[in-house]
Amino acid sequence: MGETVEAPQGKTLKLVLLAINCAMLALGTCGGPLIMRLYFLHGGKRVWLSSWLETGGWPIIFVPLAVAYFRRRAAEGPSARLVLMDPFLFAAAAVIGVLTGLDDYLYAYGVARLPVSTSALLIATQLAFTAGFAFLLVRQLFTSYSVNSVFLLTMGAGVLAMHTSSDRPAGESKGEYYAGFFMTLGAAALYGFVLPLVELTYKKAKQTVTYSLVLEFQLVMCFFATAFNTVGMLVNKDFQAISEEARNFGLGETRYYVVLVWNGIIWQFFFLGAIGVIHYASSLFSGIMIAVLLPITEILGVICFHEKFQVEKAVSLVLSLWGFVSYFYGEFKRGKKEKKQQQLLQQDTEPLQQGLP
C-alpha cells in the first residue's frame, strides 16, 4: 500500500480538527442557503450559475494543500510526494464530483423557487436518506430509534407538501413551486447517497487516508462538479448574461459580484467541513450535523427575509426536531451498549492473557 507518513495525531488533535470541520460545516449549512436566496430575491435568475458557485471556490483548497505539502517536505525531505492520491481515489472523486454537480443544480433550483425556511425543512429529510444509504453501503445498523427518526422526518416533509398554497412566493405558479419542492427532495436524496459513498471510498482506499489526502479528494471532487455545471452554464448562455444581470441587480452592480464571491467561499466551507467530518467521524455524523443545523437555517430565513412561518411549518419543525432527538437518543444508547460490551470482553480476555507464559 502506498502509505504516506505524517505526524501522528493524538486524540486531542483529532477532536480539535473535528471541531474545526464542524464549525466550517455549520457556517456553510447556515450561510450558504441564505446568500443563495439573497441572489434570487434581488433579481438573480441563473440557476446554473448558482449551482456552479456551490463548488466554484475549489481553488481555495490549494492554500491548505500547500501548507500540508511544506509540512511533509520539512518532515520527509525532498522525497515528500507532491500528490498523494492514487488513480482509484482520483476516479472515485471524479464520479462523486459529477454526482455533486447534479445535486448542486437540484438544490439551486429548489432555493430559486422556495423560501429558505421551506427548503431547509425539506433538506432535513437528507438524514433519512443518509441513514438508509449508510446501511446499504457501509453497513450502518438501523435501530428502532433511527427507524422512528426516518418516519418523523418523512412526515415533516409530507406536512409541507399538503399545505403549499400559502407558502408560494408572489408571482410563482403552482407548477414552479412543486418543481422546486421535488427538486429539493431530490437534492436531499442524492446528497444522502453521496455522503456514505465518500465514506465507502475511504474504506476501499488502498492507501492511508490522511487529512491531506481528504483535501486532494475534495479538490478533485469540486473540480468535476464545477466542470459539470460549467457545461450547463455554457448551454444556457449564463456567462454572457452575468454583466447584464449585474447591472439590473436590486442591491447594485458591485454588491452583485460581492454576493457571487461570498457564495463561492461559503459553500466551499460547507463541502470542506462535510468531507472533514466524514474523515474524522463518519458520513452519518456529517448528515446528523447538517440536519441539526437546518432548523437554525429556517429561523434565520424567517428573520432575514421576513418569510411566513405558518402552522404547517411549525408542525414540520417539531416533527423534524423530534426525529433528531430520537436519532440522537438511539445513538447514545447504542454507544453505551457497545462500550459495555467492550469492557466485558476486555474483562474476559485479561485472565487468558495473564495465564500465557
Side-chain angles (χ1 to χ4, degrees):
M1 296 202 311
E3 296 183 0
T4 302
V5 178
E6 288 201 354
Q9 295 178 353
K11 190 174 180 180
T12 303
L13 179 58
K14 184 178 178 181
L15 288 173
V16 169
L17 292 171
L18 176 60
I20 291 171
N21 281 279
C22 285
M24 289 195 292
L25 183 58
L27 176 61
T29 302
C30 296
L34 293 174
I35 197 162
M36 183 181 284
R37 186 62 180 163
L38 182 70
Y39 163 79
F40 287 115
L41 284 174
H42 291 281
K45 293 180 173 61
R46 299 287 160 176
V47 176
W48 280 110
L49 171 61
S50 292
S51 59
W52 186 93
L53 288 169
E54 287 184 61
T55 52
W58 60 267
I60 295 171
I61 305 172
F62 280 118
V63 175
L65 273 177
V67 173
Y69 170 70
F70 285 117
R71 282 186 62 194
R72 283 201 307 277
R73 189 175 173 85
E76 301 172 24
S79 61
R81 291 172 59 185
L82 180 62
V83 178
L84 303 178
M85 184 177 286
D86 64 14
F88 166 76
L89 280 179
F90 181 87
V95 171
I96 294 172
V98 173
L99 291 175
T100 301
L102 175 59
D103 183 73
D104 290 343
Y105 177 78
L106 294 174
Y107 180 74
Y109 189 96
V111 172
R113 300 285 183 263
L114 304 176
V116 171
S117 51
T118 303
S119 62
L121 283 169
L122 290 174
I123 288 294
T125 60
Q126 177 191 298
L127 179 57
F129 292 113
T130 302
F133 286 120
F135 171 75
L136 294 172
L137 296 178
V138 292
R139 297 293 182 263
Q140 181 76 43
L141 296 178
F142 268 113
T143 65
S144 58
Y145 297 99
S146 56
V147 172
N148 184 52
S149 176
V150 169
F151 174 75
L152 290 168
L153 289 167
T154 306
M155 285 291 293
V159 168
L160 287 178
M162 289 186 291
H163 298 82
T164 58
S165 57
S166 59
D167 189 45
R168 231 174 31 245
E172 189 173 287
S173 70
K174 201 169 185 178
E176 289 174 330
Y177 183 92
Y178 272 116
F181 189 96
F182 288 109
M183 285 280 207
T184 305
L185 274 181
L190 184 53
Y191 203 64
F193 173 67
V194 165
L195 291 177
L197 188 60
V198 171
E199 185 177 359
L200 179 65
T201 303
Y202 289 168
K203 289 179 182 294
K204 297 288 185 183
K206 297 177 181 177
Q207 60 186 122
T208 303
V209 180
T210 62
Y211 191 61
S212 298
L213 188 61
V214 169
L215 288 172
E216 290 184 13
F217 190 92
Q218 172 72 8
L219 180 72
V220 174
M221 190 185 82
C222 284
F223 173 81
F224 277 92
T226 306
F228 175 87
N229 287 304
T230 299
V231 174
M233 286 185 68
L234 290 169
V235 172
N236 203 45
K237 298 182 179 178
D238 280 11
F239 287 107
Q240 296 94 313
I242 288 175
S243 58
E244 183 181 350
E245 190 172 73
R247 286 193 294 271
N248 299 322
F249 193 61
L251 298 177
E253 187 171 357
T254 302
R255 288 180 181 175
Y256 173 84
Y257 292 108
V258 171
V259 168
L260 294 192
V261 170
W262 276 106
N263 232 316
I265 293 171
I266 291 174
W267 279 115
Q268 200 53 231
F269 275 118
F270 169 81
F271 284 107
L272 276 171
I275 295 293
V277 170
I278 292 172
H279 174 62
Y280 288 112
S282 68
S283 61
L284 201 50
F285 186 73
S286 185
I288 290 167
M289 276 289 302
I290 294 168
V292 167
L293 290 163
L294 287 171
I296 300 172
T297 308
E298 180 190 358
I299 293 166
L300 288 172
V302 172
I303 294 170
C304 296
F305 302 133
H306 308 291
E307 296 175 356
K308 297 176 184 176
F309 192 77
Q310 303 96 328
V311 175
E312 59 268 17
K313 283 189 181 180
V315 172
S316 182
L317 178 59
V318 169
L319 288 171
S320 297
L321 291 173
W322 186 5
F324 300 153
V325 171
S326 175
Y327 191 87
F328 283 135
Y329 183 68
E331 288 298 295
F332 173 72
K333 286 194 71 174
R334 188 172 67 86
K336 283 187 71 175
K337 186 178 178 181
E338 287 179 356
K339 187 177 181 181
K340 189 175 181 180
Q341 288 174 343
Q342 288 174 355
Q343 288 173 345
L344 290 172
L345 182 63
Q346 189 176 5
Q347 289 171 3
D348 290 340
T349 56
E350 277 178 358
L352 293 174
Q353 291 173 347
Q354 289 171 0
L356 292 173

